[in-house]
Each structure stands twice: as structure tokens, then as C-alpha cells.
Amino acid sequence: MKKIKKSSSIILVLTMVLGLLFTPFPKAFAATGDVITVTTFDQLKTAVSSASSGQTIEIAAKVLDCTSQLVLDKIDSGITIQAASGYTPVLDFTSFREASKILSPKATGDGFAGIRVTGGSYTIKGLIIQKAYDNGMLIKPNYSATVPVSQLVPGKPDNNTIIDCVFRYNGDAGLQISGSEGLETAGIHVRPNNNHVIGSVAYRNFDVLTSGGNADGFAAKLYLGTGTIFSHCISAENSDDAWDSFAIGSSDVTYQYCVAYHCGDPAIFSGAYDKANGLPVDTNMTVGKAKGNGNGFKMGSGSSKYGTQTNGVRNLNNCLAFDNIAKGFDENNGAGTINLTNGMGLGNKKGDYVLDLMTSGIFLNAQAFSEKNSKAPIGGNVSIVETAKQASIRTEVDNAISNMRQQLASNQIPTYMNFSFWN
């Protein structure tokens, strides 16, 4: 029996070696000058690893089956990753998510985000990122408690630009930008600075393991650096908040031409909302019990274990918060200065503006449909839209959302929203 087992082991090893020698590798990606064209996820990972500053990686595929996390870790990379002409690639992390569920069935974390950016100066354009177990994309430095501080390589997640991307059906925030509590504890100051998100949409993200309590559309929170800007972005029907800036100390955040729509509604994630409104059944959405907060622009926080009360600057130009389950423009017990020009709040169930702990710098043309529960910042005023104009404004915003739904259903990047009341 021992001889038979030994012979069998030798045969097994030889079979494995021969299999490796004769297994075809994925077809190499095509490279022309400074452009690398890929068509599979394996090719994308290889290109990301080998690309250098000034090079562009173009994805020429409708769908990529993403079987692992995509890590972007080069400091000051100068690398662009974008859709090839004629394509809107869907980076679908279902395979990675299902494997992750087996590995960690009761909790997610940074290692389960779809795209993990620990490096800087990346430009990512024209992609749909969906169905990750955690964040669709996480911009955050590396930290591991098992690695000695002297050996940590945290990266430098600064100066990244995300353009015309969609983050949907993920298991935490669609896109999160954060520092690291572990690095702060270790005395290493690495906070993401100067990240700009343009023309992007965060839609129906839902963290089923925490009953919807973490999945904001966009989360610029926890040890954030400075210079974070969102421009022409839409955050819609996420299980928690549209935007969350919890525990960012004195950091600043800017929102330009941004829309926070209908977040925190549990009826969305049961399917009841779609059915009641005659919408197609959303078979891509995670179904479950959701108990998120449902604020629009949640811009701060009070004192917590993560630090003191927020007190930085929030700049909002031409922003709309409507039909959120809680508040539209929300200080969330944070202080600081708010500069707002051309704001509109309507249909937010717990108040369109709740900003009484903040101080207004510039506060011009802040409009609302109702003064119920609204609290202007110190030195600022909110005006109520004339009843005669409210119906036309409601029609305008509802049409914009309907158009967005149609484009998302066709795997298109939604067009930028612009409204008459912003002029």
C-alpha cells in the first residue's frame, strides 16, 4: 500500500506540472504606443501592474467578470484607465463577491472592495462598477495591524480623478474616500487629498449585513484630507445617505451641481417601491431589510470615538436634495462654515435644511418647498418657493430622474443634470 500511495503521489505531481506547462495563458493585451487595450479582467490586472506614467489602459469589452479585487497602488502614477471608444464597460464583481461571502459570511471590509486605490494620480473614466461585496471603489491608504509600523507601505491616495463612472448594487458605499484609523493610531498621517469625482452616479448600493446602515452613495468620511470635490454627481436610492462626511475634523468638501435623491427608503430594497410606481423589477438589486439614515448631503458629525465635532468648510454650488427619507442638507451635529449658492430642497421628510449649528459664509438663494423642520445656519436664510412654481419644478426633477433610470437600464453613463432653478 505504501508503494502504491507513493507511485500515485508521483503521478499526481507530474500531472499537475504538465498541466501548468500546457495550460494556455490568457491572450496578451494589445499595446500601441501609450495605449494598452484589454478585453478581460486578467488582462486588466496585468496592464495595471505593468503600466507606467503617461499610459492609458482602455477596456474594450461590455462586461468584465471580476474575480478578485483590482488594486491601484502606484504613487503619483499618471495612469489613465478608461472605456475604449464605443464601449461602456461593466466591471462586475459578482464572482469576487460570492467567493468573499464564503470566506467572510458575516462581515465585509477593505479587502472586499471592488477597486482599491492606495496610490495617486489615477484617472478612471467611463466605467460601471457593480456588485462588490464592500465598496464599489475605495480610495484609502493601506494599513494592517499585523505589519510592523516600520514596514508599512501605506501609499499616497491623492490627486485621483474619477470621471463619468457609475457605482451600483455594491455592498457598502458606492465610492468611499477615507484615511485610516490604524495609521492615525500608529502616528502616520496619511489622509487622501485633492480627489475629484466628476459626472458620476451612485445608485442602489445596499449593505445587507448591517441592515443598510453603511451604504451611502458617496462617502468622504473618516480621517479625510483636504480638497475633496464632487462635481455633476448623482446619488440616488442608496440604503443609507446620499453623501456622508462623518468624522472628518476640519477637512473641507465641495459639491458642485450635485443631486441627492430618495435615499434611505426601505421600500426600495424590498421591491415594493418599484412595484408601486410601475417600474421594472430590478433583478440586480440586493433585496433585504434596510434601516439606513436617508439623508441627502450629510456634511459632518458631533464628537465621537473618531474625533471631535467636525468644523471645516462645506461649499455647495447648484445642489439639489429631494425626496430623501430624512433631511436634505444636514449638519448631522457638526459645526463649521457653509458656503451655499443656489440650493434646492423639496420632499425631504425630516426637513430640507437642518444647519443650525453651522455658520453661513456665503448663503445665497437657498430654496425649499416647505419650512417644516428646516433650520437655516447662523446668519443665513431659506426662502420658500412660490406655490405656483412648485409643480413645474417637481416635473423638471422627476423627468430628470426618469431619464437617469432609462440610461442606467441601458448601461449608459447618465447625462449631467442641470435645472432651471440653478440659473
Side-chain angles (χ1 to χ4, degrees):
M1 286 298 293
K2 289 183 180 179
K3 289 183 179 180
I4 293 173
K5 286 184 178 179
K6 185 175 181 180
S7 299
S8 299
S9 298
I10 293 171
I11 293 170
L12 178 60
V13 171
L14 287 172
T15 302
M16 292 174 65
V17 171
L18 289 171
L20 288 172
L21 288 174
F22 292 102
T23 298
F25 287 94
K27 183 179 178 181
F29 50 73
T32 304
D34 289 330
V35 177
I36 303 168
T37 302
V38 302
T39 59
T40 69
F41 185 61
D42 283 341
Q43 291 175 7
L44 176 59
K45 289 196 297 181
T46 300
V48 162
S49 177
S50 64
S52 57
S53 182
Q55 289 191 303
T56 295
I57 301 168
E58 291 192 340
I59 303 174
K62 290 183 178 180
V63 180
L64 294 188
D65 177 14
C66 301
T67 55
S68 65
Q69 184 174 81
L70 181 65
V71 178
L72 309 180
D73 58 2
K74 296 182 179 180
I75 297 173
D76 297 327
S77 73
I79 295 170
T80 296
I81 303 170
Q82 65 182 27
S85 179
Y87 291 90
T88 306
V90 177
L91 274 63
D92 190 310
F93 286 90
T94 299
S95 294
F96 181 40
R97 180 185 67 187
E98 295 310 305
S100 299
K101 285 181 179 179
I102 296 171
L103 182 64
S104 181
K106 296 183 179 181
T108 63
D110 295 356
F112 300 119
I115 300 177
R116 177 72 189 272
V117 184
T118 63
S121 298
Y122 283 96
T123 299
I124 302 171
K125 183 177 182 180
L127 310 181
I128 297 174
I129 295 100
Q130 67 178 33
K131 300 184 180 180
Y133 194 33
D134 200 78
N135 303 123
M137 179 183 292
L138 175 62
I139 300 176
K140 183 180 179 181
N142 276 319
Y143 173 72
S144 172
T146 63
V147 177
V149 173
S150 61
Q151 298 177 22
L152 280 173
V153 183
K156 190 178 180 184
D158 296 345
N159 305 309
N160 295 294
T161 305
I162 315 301
I163 307 172
D164 297 349
C165 289
V166 173
F167 304 91
R168 66 186 184 188
Y169 309 130
N170 297 293
D172 204 319
L175 167 63
Q176 182 166 329
I177 307 171
S178 295
S180 172
E181 179 184 5
L183 289 169
E184 295 290 325
T185 302
I188 300 175
H189 184 84
V190 179
R191 301 192 179 200
N193 296 308
N194 303 320
N195 290 293
H196 195 173
V197 186
I198 305 167
S200 295
V201 178
Y203 178 70
R204 294 199 172 188
N205 298 288
F206 171 40
D207 51 327
V208 66
L209 295 182
T210 56
S211 301
N214 289 327
D216 309 299
F218 298 102
K221 65 183 183 182
L222 297 172
Y223 308 109
L224 191 68
T226 61
T228 302
I229 302 174
F230 296 94
S231 302
H232 296 279
C233 292
I234 306 163
S235 185
E237 298 185 346
N238 301 289
S239 66
D240 199 21
D241 303 307
W243 271 269
D244 190 358
S245 287
F246 180 86
I248 63 171
S250 59
S251 299
D252 60 284
V253 182
T254 295
Y255 314 84
Q256 303 170 152
Y257 295 91
C258 287
V259 177
Y261 168 67
H262 194 197
C263 288
D265 185 354
I268 291 171
F269 300 99
S270 69
Y273 175 82
D274 288 349
K275 183 176 181 180
N277 288 275
L279 297 172
V281 176
D282 191 344
T283 57
N284 289 293
M285 176 182 65
T286 299
V287 176
K289 293 183 179 180
K291 298 178 181 179
N293 294 147
N295 296 291
F297 297 92
K298 189 160 82 173
M299 296 176 286
S301 61
S303 179
S304 72
K305 65 178 182 179
Y306 298 103
T308 59
Q309 179 187 44
T310 56
N311 60 357
V313 177
R314 306 290 176 267
N315 302 303
L316 298 101
N317 297 308
N318 302 298
C319 289
L320 165 67
F322 75 111
D323 290 356
N324 294 289
I325 298 306
K327 293 161 279 189
F329 298 89
D330 177 28
E331 72 197 11
N332 193 39
N333 297 313
T337 299
I338 181 167
N339 296 314
L340 181 147
T341 301
N342 295 337
M344 175 65 75
L346 62 106
N348 300 291
K349 290 190 175 181
K350 294 185 179 180
D352 293 326
Y353 298 83
V354 182
L355 304 169
D356 52 307
L357 295 181
M358 300 190 78
T359 300
S360 60
I362 299 169
F363 204 76
L364 300 174
N365 198 31
Q367 302 181 74
F369 274 26
S370 171
E371 59 184 359
K372 182 181 179 181
N373 298 326
S374 283
K375 299 175 183 178
I378 299 167
N381 294 291
V382 176
S383 61
I384 305 304
V385 178
E386 296 176 11
T387 303
K389 295 181 178 180
Q390 291 188 9
S392 62
I393 291 174
R394 168 57 76 173
T395 298
E396 187 178 2
V397 298
D398 285 347
N399 286 343
I401 293 298
S402 178
N403 187 48
M404 179 199 74
R405 290 189 197 282
Q406 293 174 17
Q407 292 172 319
L408 288 173
S410 300
N411 285 344
Q412 301 175 40
I413 307 298
T415 52
Y416 292 7
M417 291 185 182
N418 195 11
F419 299 102
S420 61
F421 48 81
W422 284 346
N423 298 326

